Amino acid sequence: MLRVAVVGSGPSGCYTAQSLVQLDPDVRVDVLDRLPCPYGLVRYGVAPDHEKIKSLQNNLRAILEHDRVRFLGGVQIGPGGVTVTRLRELYHAVVYCLGAATDRRLGIPGEDLPGSWSATRFVSWYSAHPDAADAGFLRDARSAVVIGVGNVAVDVTRMLARGLAELTPTDMPQAALTTLADSKVTEIHMVGRRGPSQARFTTKELRELGTLPETDVVVDPAELALDPDCTDPSALPAPQRRNVEVLRGWAETPPTGAPRRIRLRFFLRPAELLPDRGRVAAARFERTAPDGRGGVTGTGRFEVIEGQLILRSVGYRGVPLEGLPFDPATGTVPNLSGRVLREGAIAPGEYVAGWIKRGPTGVIGTNRPCAKETATSLLADAPALTQQAVADDPVAALRAAGTDPVAWRGWQSIERAEADLGASLGRTVVKLPDWDSLLAAARTETP
């Protein structure tokens, strides 16, 4: 019997487990996660109002309920928990599906001023990640600047413009819902350094901004005119062409004077965040222009946009795990078809899948073929791997080392507690937002 540990219960981890049990009738898979809750970014990264995407949890649930797959939450891998070396001793093979846990930085003066945050941290807060308490994101904010023009930037822009009626049906934690509903932010700028035809958001996400109640979406026709592909978008790939068509429609529509405004800005590169009384007050941008090679160049002209809240959404980056090799240039673990490479040589029994394997690219579905490739590599190595003697039950060894995993029944108890909380608030399911409440719920026995 081949025993495999998969570290991470997001899509890449679940799809890896699924591929393993589908391809080998004898493999047993433990899916380990630092959090007591499964599903990774599907639970803590998908916007609360995107119920259709969040329903992917049902597919991942089916994988984790497979009779040869076991979920073990609350297991810290690395410093303060189970070391990489010890984990390798407990299982024939270990697959690390760690994702890309931090944001890329802008690298500009003022980036660390109070009021300047990574979009990921803001998303984690309103998604009830237990590590993300309210850090006063909206304190005294009247205007917000979102730097980036991808789907995450669109998500946080939309959340800032949502009202109580639209947020109440979601699973957003109550404190975050109240804070967002009481927000005084009326002006939201979403700013990209390149042109509209090069923006990374999808058309479906973009169009949602135009459906928000009491909100005008404003696009400057002059900025569209700076992009040659906006003048004649016929040669663009279909997704970019549709984006341009939506933006042109907004540029041709006069504002209605709605209480809130979303301004989509282009060809502005962040140069500096400006303070006032010790907090961020504005962002200074340099006007850019197309360089004729698909990029942009600075023009030496600058513009200041007011914002007491700055959210940086310019991409993700993997972080190293003590005991695993790491390439700081790519933010990934060096690998060959998912096999971890140590100093250029294959490390027996160590594998990667997902963003930590290939970088933060693709959509959720991209993790399926990525996971299958890694699972195929692992199973090809299985005859050699199973020569290693491992514990009959790794959970007993984990408990002996001071780690008490949250089993699937514990997660089900958390689900019941969240349903009960929602009912008590006159809402549907409401997420528990902190470690204490999650762990207390997980340890509650079924009546």
Side-chain angles (χ1 to χ4, degrees):
M1 180 191 302
L2 178 67
R3 288 193 175 276
V4 179
V6 172
V7 180
S9 65
S12 63
C14 288
Y15 292 149
T16 298
Q18 182 181 47
S19 291
L20 287 168
V21 296
Q22 286 179 342
L23 295 171
D24 187 328
D26 296 319
V27 69
R28 298 290 188 276
V29 181
D30 285 348
V31 179
L32 282 56
D33 203 292
R34 183 177 70 88
L35 300 175
C37 309
Y39 312 137
L41 279 179
V42 176
R43 176 174 168 89
Y44 290 117
V46 174
D49 59 344
H50 277 180
E51 286 300 321
K52 185 173 182 181
I53 302 174
K54 289 173 72 67
S55 68
L56 177 63
Q57 291 184 12
N58 296 329
N59 301 84
L60 303 185
R61 171 189 298 276
I63 296 169
L64 294 175
E65 289 182 334
H66 190 282
D67 59 5
R68 286 185 284 122
V69 176
R70 180 168 56 173
F71 172 71
L72 301 175
V75 179
Q76 173 73 39
I77 305 300
V82 183
T83 66
V84 165
T85 300
R86 180 56 175 151
L87 195 62
R88 181 68 186 86
E89 293 170 349
L90 295 176
Y91 293 89
H92 294 117
V94 182
V95 187
Y96 295 93
C97 303
L98 305 174
T102 191
D103 291 75
R104 290 176 55 200
R105 291 179 61 82
L106 297 172
I108 61 174
E111 185 169 7
D112 294 319
L113 282 168
S116 166
W117 309 97
S118 72
T120 296
R121 187 165 177 185
F122 186 63
V123 170
S124 294
W125 164 65
Y126 67 61
S127 298
H129 194 292
D131 290 341
D134 185 0
F137 295 107
L138 300 176
R139 183 188 308 157
D140 300 324
R142 304 175 306 279
S143 178
V145 179
V146 179
I147 299 175
V149 284
N151 279 347
V152 174
V154 175
D155 280 347
V156 297
T157 296
R158 195 177 64 254
M159 287 297 106
L160 287 168
R162 284 283 194 206
L164 180 64
E166 300 100 70
L167 294 176
T168 298
T170 73
D171 62 6
M172 182 180 290
Q174 188 68 21
L177 183 149
T178 301
T179 299
L180 284 168
D182 291 343
S183 167
K184 301 300 188 291
V185 172
T186 58
E187 192 97 1
I188 307 160
H189 305 259
M190 189 167 70
V191 187
R193 64 184 177 89
R194 297 197 291 179
S197 66
Q198 297 170 308
R200 298 299 184 92
F201 42 61
T202 56
T203 308
K204 182 179 179 182
E205 292 257 355
L206 179 64
R207 283 180 175 143
E208 279 188 272
L209 297 179
T211 67
L212 297 173
E214 299 185 304
T215 303
D216 280 332
V217 181
V218 179
V219 177
D220 186 348
E223 288 185 343
L224 295 190
L226 294 173
D227 188 338
D229 286 322
C230 285
T231 304
D232 180 12
S234 59
L236 289 172
Q240 285 82 4
R241 186 173 66 250
R242 289 192 292 266
N243 285 345
V244 168
E245 290 168 353
V246 172
L247 293 168
R248 286 170 66 174
W250 286 332
E252 295 166 0
T253 304
T256 66
R260 289 186 293 268
R261 288 171 302 282
I262 295 172
R263 297 184 183 273
L264 303 183
R265 304 296 308 277
F266 300 97
F267 291 114
L268 291 170
R269 178 165 58 197
E272 183 181 8
L273 301 186
L274 305 174
D276 180 37
R277 300 176 186 176
R279 291 182 60 84
V280 73
R284 185 169 177 257
F285 293 89
E286 181 182 15
R287 170 67 67 187
T288 62
D291 63 5
R293 300 184 302 274
V296 293
T297 184
T299 65
R301 303 194 311 274
F302 291 86
E303 176 178 341
V304 173
I305 300 177
E306 177 189 344
Q308 299 79 35
L309 169 65
I310 308 290
L311 296 174
R312 312 180 304 271
S313 180
V314 292
Y316 295 97
R317 183 173 174 78
V319 296
L321 174 64
E322 185 176 294
L324 274 187
F326 186 75
D327 181 355
T330 61
T332 61
V333 171
N335 70 92
L336 179 65
S337 299
R339 296 179 175 94
V340 171
L341 299 176
R342 292 183 179 270
E343 299 181 351
I346 292 173
E350 295 182 313
Y351 303 84
V352 285
W355 279 1
I356 200 65
K357 169 187 174 183
R358 67 181 192 275
T361 60
V363 295
I364 290 175
T366 311
N367 290 295
R368 280 187 180 275
C370 174
K372 187 173 183 179
E373 179 189 58
T374 295
T376 301
S377 295
L378 190 160
L379 293 175
D381 301 339
L385 297 175
T386 51
Q387 299 303 308
Q388 170 189 337
V390 298
D392 288 337
D393 185 2
V395 170
L398 291 173
R399 287 190 175 129
T403 296
D404 188 14
V406 174
W408 190 250
R409 286 180 59 187
W411 160 239
Q412 291 175 315
S413 294
I414 292 173
E415 286 187 303
R416 286 192 296 273
E418 293 183 336
D420 291 344
L421 176 60
S424 72
L425 295 170
R427 298 172 58 195
T428 55
V429 171
V430 173
K431 287 180 181 174
L432 299 173
D434 59 82
W435 280 99
D436 288 345
S437 57
L438 286 169
L439 292 176
R443 307 303 181 196
T444 302
E445 292 295 326
T446 304

